[in-house]
């Protein structure tokens, strides 16, 4: 039996185990769940030891702990570091749930629970891949390390310092971030980049006090109007960003990426049904699926 056959044969067991993990309300934003956070970390460390990782432990940080595990018995092969997080968002508002958030429930082939798709489900796929390979084949083709944190939903406050303090332990040739969706159930996907975000607050000030329109109108710029002009100046009429230097360090899309994106079955009709918007907006001549993912925008 190979690893795929083994995983298929074990799917009921794997699903039951995932439900156990989903039942732990590891809500990092709420201090009353700190014992659950610890429980989720310990559950994962024990599970990782159980599937045959050589070392798996709960390691302290300045906040919620990191679960670290390793299997390094493939000398000469690359080392893959798998990242995931075991904390979840709060489940409120509870009356919007069709089934209890911490009782994983199957409906129409999907599994509903807080954390099922962010990120316990994803990280568990990697854990069970290791399980299936070690059970069926006795070894992994690469060296594997796991880094599962408990603070992703609160800004990964202590992750940088943890990584800094454990550089050698975490050293790897490639990092697999297991915290993203797949395109479709029958289409495995590798997310190779994600856009960041920048927030800013702009304060526009005008005259000291309200001014009479008859006496001063036309001579004092209205701050509301000035703010509209500033915001409007961020884009060119074709939808591209007009901020000087904005595109300077954007890597051009290459043929391989272009071809890969073109292969995805993403239609304008699907986009319309998802968004409810009457028509697409944005930079002229940029394919919809490319516009949504690849170029930065403001
Ligand atoms: Zn996540």
């Amino acid at each position: 039996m190979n690893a795929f056959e083994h995983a298929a044969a074990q799917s009921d067991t794997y699903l039951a185990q995932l439900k156990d993990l989903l039942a732990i309300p590891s809500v990092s934003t709420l201090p009353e769940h700190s014992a659950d956070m610890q429980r989720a970390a310990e559950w994962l460390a024990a599970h990782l030891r159980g599937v045959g990782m050589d070392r798996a432990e709960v390691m302290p940080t300045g906040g919620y702990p990191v679960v670290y595990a390793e299997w390094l018995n493939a000398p000469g092969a690359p080392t893959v570091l798998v990242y995931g997080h075991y904390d979840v968002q709060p489940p409120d508002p509870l009356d919007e749930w069709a089934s209890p958030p911490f009782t994983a429930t199957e409906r129409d082939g999907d599994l509903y629970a807080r954390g099922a798709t962010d990120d316990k489900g994803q990280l568990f796929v990697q854990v069970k891949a290791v399980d299936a390979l070690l059970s069926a084949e006795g070894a992994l083709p690469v060296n594997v390390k796991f880094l599962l944190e408990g603070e992703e939903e609160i800004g990964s406050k202590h992750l940088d310092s943890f990584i800094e303090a454990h550089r050698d332990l975490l050293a790897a040739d490639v990092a697999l971030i297991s915290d993203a969706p797949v395109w479709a159930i029958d289409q495995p996907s590798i997310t190779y980049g994600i856009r960041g975000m920048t927030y800013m607050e702009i304060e526009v000030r005008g005259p000291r006090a309200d001014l009479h329109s008859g006496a001063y109108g036309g001579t004092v710029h209205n701050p509301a109007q000035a703010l509209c002009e500033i915001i409007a100046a961020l884009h060119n009429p074709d939808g591209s960003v007009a901020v000087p230097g904005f595109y300077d360090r954007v890597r051009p899309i290459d043929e391989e990426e272009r071809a890969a994106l073109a292969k995805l079955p993403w239609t304008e009709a699907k986009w319309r049904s998802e968004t409810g918007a009457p028509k697409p907006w944005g930079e002229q001549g940029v394919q919809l699926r490319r516009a949504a993912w690849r170029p930065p925008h403001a």
Side-chain angles (χ1 to χ4, degrees):
M1 198 187 276
N2 69 27
F4 289 101
E5 290 158 352
H6 180 86
Q10 292 294 312
S11 73
D12 287 349
T13 307
Y14 288 3
L15 184 61
Q17 292 167 340
L18 174 59
K19 288 179 177 177
D20 287 346
L21 176 60
L22 290 166
I24 305 172
S26 44
V27 182
S28 53
T29 52
L30 303 173
E32 60 265 38
H33 285 291
S34 54
D36 298 317
M37 292 296 300
Q38 190 69 28
R39 195 150 61 91
E42 272 159 19
W43 190 99
L44 278 165
H47 200 86
L48 283 158
R49 278 190 294 272
V51 305
M53 296 297 284
D54 288 330
R55 169 183 174 184
E57 58 193 82
V58 177
M59 297 180 70
T61 72
Y64 290 124
V66 157
V67 179
Y68 173 78
E70 64 181 32
W71 187 97
L72 305 175
N73 304 310
T79 298
V80 179
L81 175 72
V82 179
Y83 164 89
H85 64 90
Y86 63 86
D87 62 327
V88 301
Q89 284 279 331
D92 314 275
L94 290 175
D95 55 4
E96 297 284 316
W97 285 82
S99 51
F102 297 106
T103 304
T105 306
E106 292 167 65
R107 284 197 296 280
D108 301 327
D110 291 322
L111 187 66
Y112 292 84
R114 177 54 96 221
T117 61
D118 188 10
D119 179 40
K120 289 173 174 170
Q122 287 97 319
L123 73 84
F124 209 59
V125 169
Q126 319 296 350
V127 174
K128 299 325 281 186
V130 166
D131 188 352
L133 278 161
L134 288 177
S135 303
E137 294 165 25
L140 306 178
V142 291
N143 299 297
V144 174
K145 297 176 176 180
F146 280 92
L147 188 180
L148 310 175
E149 69 154 326
E151 299 192 322
E152 197 276 343
E153 304 292 5
I154 48 174
S156 299
K157 282 187 271 190
H158 297 94
L159 189 60
D160 285 1
S161 53
F162 182 86
I163 292 170
E164 201 59 54
H166 298 94
R167 280 176 166 272
D168 293 342
L169 184 72
L170 300 171
D173 298 290
V174 59
L176 180 63
I177 300 191
S178 188
D179 188 19
V182 291
W183 177 258
I185 191 92
D186 56 354
Q187 186 147 10
S189 318
I190 294 175
T191 301
Y192 61 93
I194 287 181
R195 289 187 293 211
M197 276 190 288
T198 300
Y199 297 88
M200 59 197 77
E201 186 173 318
I202 298 174
E203 196 176 308
V204 181
R205 291 199 203 122
R208 206 170 43 242
D210 259 2
L211 297 173
H212 189 280
S213 59
Y216 298 103
T219 67
V220 175
H221 201 5
N222 181 333
Q225 174 70 21
L227 188 59
C228 292
E229 287 160 6
I230 291 167
I231 293 168
L234 294 174
H235 289 95
N236 294 309
D238 71 355
S240 60
V241 177
V243 178
F246 186 85
Y247 292 108
D248 284 0
R249 293 179 61 223
V250 176
R251 186 167 53 84
I253 189 161
D254 63 23
E255 274 316 310
E256 198 181 348
E257 266 183 289
R258 201 180 294 271
L261 286 167
K263 267 198 281 187
L264 289 174
W266 193 0
T267 62
E268 191 171 317
K270 180 174 185 286
W271 176 89
R272 276 178 204 271
S273 76
E274 285 168 1
T275 62
K279 71 183 184 74
W281 174 87
E283 207 168 337
Q284 298 295 307
V286 177
Q287 284 169 305
L288 207 51
R289 60 177 84 85
R290 195 139 53 84
W293 288 345
R294 188 49 173 76
H297 66 87

